[in-house]
Amino acid sequence: MTRRVLFSPVGGTDPISADNMMDGSMLHIARKRLPDAVYLYLSKEMIRNQKLDQRYTRALEKLSAATGHHIDFYLIERPNLTKVHDFDVFYWDFRNEISGIIEKEGIESPEELLVNISSGTPAMKSALVVLNAMIGVRYTLVQVATPEGRMGNHTHPGDYDFDTYWDLDEDNRPDSNDRTKDIRSTNLLALGNLQTIRNFVDKYDYDAAWELAQTLPPEISGGLMPLLRLGRARSLLNLIEARQACTDAGLDQADIFPAGVGDSRGKVFEYALCCDIKRRRGELADFIRSLSPLIVELFELIIERQLGIYIEDYCTDRMNRNGSITRVWDSDRIFSPGSSDKGAEFLAKVFREKYGSKTDLGCVFSDHLAAVIESACGDDVSRPVSVLRGVEQTIRNKAAHEIVSVDEKSITRLTRVNKGKGLGSEEIMNLVRDVASLAGFPKQKGWDSYDHMNEFIKNAIRTAGADSGMTADALQD
């Protein structure tokens, strides 16, 4: 079992104040918190006092005898320490000593290591407060109020009479007041990481946010992790995990997934949102490459909605040499002579007009589906379909099959037709949304779904920031 430990600089009123005959801060914390071990940090002056009459260790021995609670004590002596107001000296020395204590004692939580910030010089106290904030709150800061509620006399008379002071010490009374108080320490390391996590979320980089959040203390990250799991899984199209994370976060799935995820339509919409996230991240080559599967799905849904033809009914699976399965057109069904299947009859007519006598059409491509739509639908449907198919044809093949840099300028240049104005990535995404509306998806509602989800995540970040010791508004926009 881990021991409870007190680290304490020794100051001018320790162990018992000659000014008011009451505990100094070190002894009072030891009395009221009863640690199992005390590490005393002594400057040159305090070492002299200890050698003179062992006042600091005798006080702990007396306390141990009076309470029946054994206290081990260790002296950290700095015989050359005379510049007791040098912050830099104490910051690094305290860092090394406290890290050593944490390792030696097996300290696992801040509650197991108490640190006295009421004894010693202002530089010592400040260094201990800042250090705890910078290393991620590894110990509990304990402050002791003076009996008078004001600053006491921090000097000892030359004839310090420890035994008399102990006998007169009013804090020896069983009913003496507890003047200790835990001071909440702002975890600056966690706050910095929370701000970075927020920046990652704003850039839709949920994987990086998740990885960094795993370094946070569980008491800070607990409410945040399910939401980051949601964003991470969703952006990877792991919709089973995303739904579970949504439930774990206490959110309504209908509030996160506007088109649902229980059927193929919902999955298509989620894929479309993922394409847009690639664009927003600036991953333009991946955005362009991701369009082809989406375009095929949207065109199939348009045909289903506008013509009542289910393309899946006219497809079959082909086994490849490597054992994988590829979906291809079922030529036997489509081109079967004398078929009474109106859908097959219509598809055969379109494909003969488009591809002549060729009957083995192979995989289902957007070019096939666009031909079906253009043959049967009016201009309000066929025109945006043709434009989107043209964009895919001109730029997707370039990005997928050539070593080429893909940025906004190259996208605009490659989509320029007949010296006209080209399309930027945002305009292409708007075109996707127009085509998706022809497949029955809303044109406006739901497309900002990731931003809506991010608000839940950022609210959790603000709550985690408050848990780390900072007011909630510190992580506002």
Side-chain angles (χ1 to χ4, degrees), residues 387-431:
V387 174
L388 184 57
R389 168 58 191 146
V391 168
E392 179 198 16
Q393 196 169 21
T394 57
I395 193 170
R396 192 270 175 192
N397 293 338
K398 199 87 172 174
H401 302 298
E402 297 183 26
I403 301 175
V404 59
S405 172
V406 179
D407 56 19
E408 287 292 349
K409 288 184 178 179
S410 64
I411 291 175
T412 303
R413 184 181 69 254
L414 290 170
T415 54
R416 189 178 295 122
V417 179
N418 297 326
K419 297 183 179 181
K421 181 183 178 183
L423 300 176
S425 65
E426 185 174 1
E427 293 170 298
I428 292 174
M429 194 64 215
N430 288 337
L431 181 58

Side-chain angles (χ1 to χ4, degrees), residues 99-136:
S99 296
I101 292 170
I102 290 173
E103 182 176 357
K104 174 185 173 183
E105 298 284 351
I107 301 295
E108 296 181 350
S109 71
E111 292 75 20
E112 295 170 350
L113 177 56
L114 309 177
V115 171
N116 175 13
I117 59 168
S118 290
S119 291
T121 65
M124 293 179 181
K125 301 170 186 177
S126 298
L128 289 169
V129 172
V130 172
L131 175 62
N132 202 29
M134 293 302 294
I135 66 174

Side-chain angles (χ1 to χ4, degrees), residues 32-263:
K32 297 302 181 181
R33 303 299 179 90
L34 291 179
D36 302 299
V38 177
Y39 289 78
L40 300 177
Y41 185 93
L42 287 78
S43 65
K44 182 178 180 178
E45 179 184 355
M46 303 309 162
I47 293 172
R48 185 172 62 247
N49 291 339
Q50 171 66 15
K51 288 182 177 179
L52 182 65
D53 52 24
Q54 293 79 51
R55 64 187 68 171
Y56 309 120
T57 54
R58 285 185 65 197
L60 294 174
E61 289 171 342
K62 285 269 198 181
L63 177 64
S64 184
T67 60
H69 179 82
H70 179 73
I71 300 175
D72 291 325
F73 51 81
Y74 308 90
L75 302 182
I76 303 172
E77 298 181 332
R78 294 293 182 263
N80 298 320
L81 179 55
T82 57
K83 296 180 179 180
V84 293
H85 301 288
D86 191 334
F87 173 91
D88 290 338
V89 169
F90 294 120
Y91 181 86
W92 295 109
D93 199 18
F94 286 161
R95 185 184 182 105
N96 292 334
E97 289 297 332
I98 289 176
S99 296
I101 292 170
I102 290 173
E103 182 176 357
K104 174 185 173 183
E105 298 284 351
I107 301 295
E108 296 181 350
S109 71
E111 292 75 20
E112 295 170 350
L113 177 56
L114 309 177
V115 171
N116 175 13
I117 59 168
S118 290
S119 291
T121 65
M124 293 179 181
K125 301 170 186 177
S126 298
L128 289 169
V129 172
V130 172
L131 175 62
N132 202 29
M134 293 302 294
I135 66 174
V137 185
R138 302 294 302 278
Y139 49 82
T140 299
L141 302 174
V142 184
Q143 191 174 57
V144 179
T146 61
E148 302 87 355
R150 57 178 174 80
M151 184 175 292
N153 183 359
H154 284 253
T155 60
H156 285 317
D159 55 345
Y160 189 85
D161 186 348
F162 172 77
D163 291 315
T164 299
Y165 291 168
W166 177 267
D167 291 338
L168 296 175
D169 187 350
E170 295 184 33
D171 283 315
N172 280 320
R173 298 198 320 266
D175 60 347
S176 64
N177 292 331
D178 185 350
R179 294 180 278 116
T180 66
K181 178 183 178 182
D182 291 349
I183 303 301
R184 189 172 194 184
S185 181
T186 299
N187 190 333
L188 294 182
L189 180 62
L191 278 175
N193 286 342
L194 284 170
Q195 186 59 59
T196 303
I197 290 169
R198 180 194 172 92
N199 293 340
F200 283 141
V201 170
D202 282 336
K203 294 177 181 177
Y204 310 99
D205 192 346
Y206 305 103
D207 198 50
W210 164 264
E211 292 294 334
L212 184 55
Q214 288 185 304
T215 69
L216 295 172
E219 63 271 16
I220 293 176
S221 65
L224 177 60
M225 296 307 289
L227 288 160
L228 291 178
R229 271 177 49 221
L230 166 61
R232 183 170 181 255
R234 188 184 188 191
S235 65
L236 295 172
L237 284 175
N238 184 350
L239 298 180
I240 294 176
E241 172 66 17
R243 291 174 70 181
Q244 182 60 54
C246 186
T247 300
D248 292 344
L251 301 179
D252 184 352
Q253 291 188 21
D255 201 26
I256 298 298
F257 307 105
V261 288
D263 58 16

Side-chain angles (χ1 to χ4, degrees), residues 29 174 440 446:
I29 295 173

Side-chain angles (χ1 to χ4, degrees), residues 343-464:
E345 185 178 320
F346 177 74
L347 292 175
K349 177 177 179 296
V350 171
F351 292 154
R352 286 193 181 101
E353 290 176 354
K354 179 78 174 178
Y355 306 107
S357 60
K358 182 179 179 181
T359 58
D360 185 8
L361 299 176
C363 297
V364 179
F365 291 123
S366 59
D367 186 58
H368 304 140
L369 302 171
V372 174
I373 295 169
E374 290 164 359
S375 295
C377 298
D379 190 59
D380 58 329
V381 175
S382 61
R383 188 177 186 284
V385 165
S386 298
V387 174
L388 184 57
R389 168 58 191 146
V391 168
E392 179 198 16
Q393 196 169 21
T394 57
I395 193 170
R396 192 270 175 192
N397 293 338
K398 199 87 172 174
H401 302 298
E402 297 183 26
I403 301 175
V404 59
S405 172
V406 179
D407 56 19
E408 287 292 349
K409 288 184 178 179
S410 64
I411 291 175
T412 303
R413 184 181 69 254
L414 290 170
T415 54
R416 189 178 295 122
V417 179
N418 297 326
K419 297 183 179 181
K421 181 183 178 183
L423 300 176
S425 65
E426 185 174 1
E427 293 170 298
I428 292 174
M429 194 64 215
N430 288 337
L431 181 58
V432 169
R433 291 169 64 166
D434 290 341
V435 171
S437 70
L438 300 174
F441 295 109
K443 195 168 185 178
Q444 300 295 332
K445 184 180 179 182
W447 290 96
D448 60 350
S449 174
Y450 270 76
D451 292 328
H452 180 62
M453 177 183 70
N454 282 358
E455 285 305 312
F456 286 106
I457 298 176
K458 287 189 281 189
N459 283 337
I461 291 174
R462 283 189 281 270
T463 300

